[in-house]
Amino acid sequence: MAKVTLETNGEVCPFPLIEAQDAMATLTGGDELVINFDCTQATDAIPRWAAENGYPVTDFSKTGDAEWSITVQKA
Amino acid sequence: MLISGLFVGIALGFAMQRGRFCVTGAFRDVWVNRNTRWLSAFLLVVAVQSVGVFALDALGVIHLQTPAFPWLATIVGGFIFGFAIVLAGGCATGTYYRSGEGLVGSWLALITYALFSAIMKTGALSGFNTAVRSVTIKENNFYQVLGVSPWVLVALLAVGVGLAVRHHLSKPKLKFAALPASRTGLAHLLFEKRWGAFGTAVVIGLIAIAAWPLSWASGRKDGLGITTPSSNLVNYLVSGKTSLIDWGVFLVVGILLGSFIAAKGSGEFRVRVPDATTVLKSLGGGALMGIGAALGGGCTIGNAMVQTAEFSFQGWTALVFMLLGTGVAAKLTIPKRRSAPASTGAPARVLSNA
């Protein structure tokens, strides 16, 4: 069960989500992907993408002003 | 009452920031993710506003007019604008509200957008702009050409958009991960709660309706608009002529303020400096946005959201060509997703493997 961190701070949408999708494709079931991002729109887009793909979100937190971290598990 | 423009702008900037209402994202999703959820929300704004606009017209509060249709400039300008918003990372309004969130890339795009709209409208390129915009046809309105009441089209649009919205809302309810709530009551509703695409669209549609009589009362006979006010703002700043400050100038300043209030209030404001590539894309995208919007006669708001609600040829033509421009830019600038699992090795920006 690997835990991989993807750092996308400074990238504007849609790139945080695109990189998350790419990173997810390289993981195997049960692995967790931690996505750090600071694009406001991704607070909508990333949880939606996780839900639509049936990936459980094991953590979602605001880490600072306009900074978030979400952990998505590959199902 | 020019000051009402400021309040409408604040409401609009606030709603867009909290609702994550991004027209660029809406257009881009159609091509990148084959998803029409945000485009449907955008058209919901048009439909809501359309009802209000024709009601106000029928009541005699406003009087809609249909100038000739500058078809060539609308097609070229719409396409350029649609292309540019992908580079700039936001349309004109999106750039205003992202500036209020502290994104320096949007500050740069905003500056070149406003500057180039002024260059095109009143400056060095105004001759070129006027020449292209002088290619017109007289007909510029669906209901006049079809010889039907505008309410027929309002009804058709409402039904069409209603079906699209129902399609998106009837999907199996997904459970989204949400941030833990740290506030209650109104503060939670305004600064924390997820607004949702369609709720936000209704709020923005109502703001767009309110803009009409308020702007009209000040002598500016139009609804929401971003490009001409941005050009006026630049002209005012360099000439000092206070006559250039109209309702629209207050509106665009208000968007910036409203988005700042929303972002600050929800802990989403931070000055964020982009990398060199993004700086160049923002500067170039902003300039092309100014050129495209001036040529086409409006941005995603003035043309694609307001003119469409009036059922003008200009609005719908601009909307179609903006969508096409966005599609071409998305194809060129957004890397295609790698679909085969584990075929391309580790993702490039992974920092740690634990």
Side-chain angles (χ1 to χ4, degrees):
Chain A
M1 301 270 185
K3 193 168 192 171
V4 173
T5 303
L6 183 67
E7 194 60 64
T8 72
N9 276 10
E11 295 193 42
V12 290
C13 292
F15 296 104
L17 177 58
I18 288 176
E19 291 199 3
Q21 289 169 329
D22 283 347
M24 207 58 161
T26 67
L27 300 183
T28 50
D31 287 355
E32 284 184 310
L33 181 66
V34 181
I35 308 153
N36 296 329
F37 62 95
D38 66 359
C39 168
T40 317
Q41 284 72 40
T43 59
D44 177 65
I46 293 179
R48 175 168 294 275
W49 159 74
E52 284 173 354
N53 286 277
Y55 300 144
V57 171
T58 54
D59 179 58
F60 185 16
S61 54
K62 197 157 177 293
T63 50
D65 274 355
E67 274 182 292
W68 296 269
S69 177
I70 188 167
T71 306
V72 182
Q73 192 172 37
K74 182 136 180 181
Chain B
M1 284 294 284
L2 293 180
I3 198 74
S4 69
L6 190 70
F7 295 118
V8 171
I10 289 174
L12 185 62
F14 193 98
M16 288 188 143
Q17 201 281 336
R18 293 312 303 151
R20 283 82 170 97
F21 193 88
C22 174
V23 184
T24 308
F27 289 5
R28 196 176 51 206
D29 277 354
V30 175
W31 306 98
V32 177
N33 302 324
R34 305 264 174 248
N35 184 321
T36 56
R37 180 169 162 268
W38 279 104
L39 184 67
S40 303
F42 178 79
L43 291 172
L44 178 59
V45 178
V46 178
V48 168
Q49 193 193 177
S50 205
V51 174
V53 164
F54 286 102
L56 288 167
D57 188 59
L59 292 170
V61 180
I62 61 173
H63 303 282
L64 294 176
Q65 283 156 357
T66 312
F69 173 34
W71 61 272
L72 180 63
T74 303
I75 288 173
V76 176
F79 186 86
I80 292 174
F81 190 85
F83 189 94
I85 60 178
V86 175
L87 293 182
C91 67
T93 331
T95 298
Y96 269 99
Y97 94 69
R98 280 199 185 71
S99 293
E101 290 181 332
L103 287 170
V104 176
S106 295
W107 298 359
L108 298 172
L110 184 59
I111 291 168
T112 52
Y113 158 70
L115 177 65
F116 273 81
S117 64
I119 290 173
M120 286 288 284
K121 279 175 176 286
T122 54
L125 293 174
S126 61
F128 163 72
N129 192 28
T130 310
V132 183
R133 287 186 58 80
S134 67
V135 183
T136 57
I137 53 170
K138 200 170 132 281
E139 292 77 18
N140 190 6
N141 200 298
F142 283 100
Y143 58 86
Q144 284 168 358
V145 170
L146 294 169
V148 295
S149 154
W151 291 102
V152 174
L153 299 185
V154 173
L156 282 174
L157 182 66
V159 169
V161 171
L163 288 173
V165 171
R166 202 183 68 167
H167 163 75
H168 286 284
L169 290 179
S170 68
K171 285 179 180 169
K173 198 97 182 130
L174 293 167
K175 201 171 152 29
F176 297 112
L179 291 163
S182 62
R183 305 176 203 217
T184 53
L186 192 63
H188 172 70
L189 183 69
L190 287 179
F191 292 108
E192 205 169 54
K193 196 178 167 8
R194 182 199 299 273
W195 281 28
F198 300 108
T200 308
V202 171
V203 171
I204 293 176
L206 295 176
I207 295 170
I209 294 172
W212 280 96
L214 293 171
S215 173
W216 213 273
S218 78
R220 179 182 168 276
K221 298 185 172 180
D222 210 342
L224 291 178
I226 311 294
T227 306
T228 305
S230 300
S231 164
N232 284 345
L233 183 58
V234 169
N235 275 305
Y236 161 68
L237 289 174
V238 295
S239 73
K241 283 186 193 147
T242 49
S243 61
L244 289 161
I245 301 180
D246 66 354
W247 192 89
V249 172
F250 274 96
L251 174 78
V252 293
V253 173
I255 294 173
L256 205 57
L257 271 176
S259 141
F260 174 74
I261 293 167
K264 196 73 191 167
S266 49
E268 294 178 354
F269 177 86
R270 185 162 49 87
V271 176
R272 282 161 277 180
V273 182
D275 59 28
T277 315
T278 309
V279 166
L280 291 177
K281 275 161 73 175
S282 300
L283 287 170
L288 286 175
M289 251 170 31
I291 293 170
L295 266 179
C299 62
T300 33
I301 300 297
N303 250 347
M305 205 172 94
V306 174
Q307 287 274 333
T308 44
E310 297 177 61
F311 296 107
S312 80
F313 287 161
Q314 179 184 311
W316 290 93
T317 306
L319 173 59
V320 166
F321 281 90
M322 280 178 194
L323 266 168
L324 289 175
T326 301
V328 171
K331 283 262 180 301
L332 292 177
T333 61
I334 298 172
K336 221 177 158 49
R337 271 189 60 200
R338 289 168 282 178
S339 48
S343 63
T344 46
R349 290 176 61 90
V350 167
L351 282 191
S352 62
N353 242 319

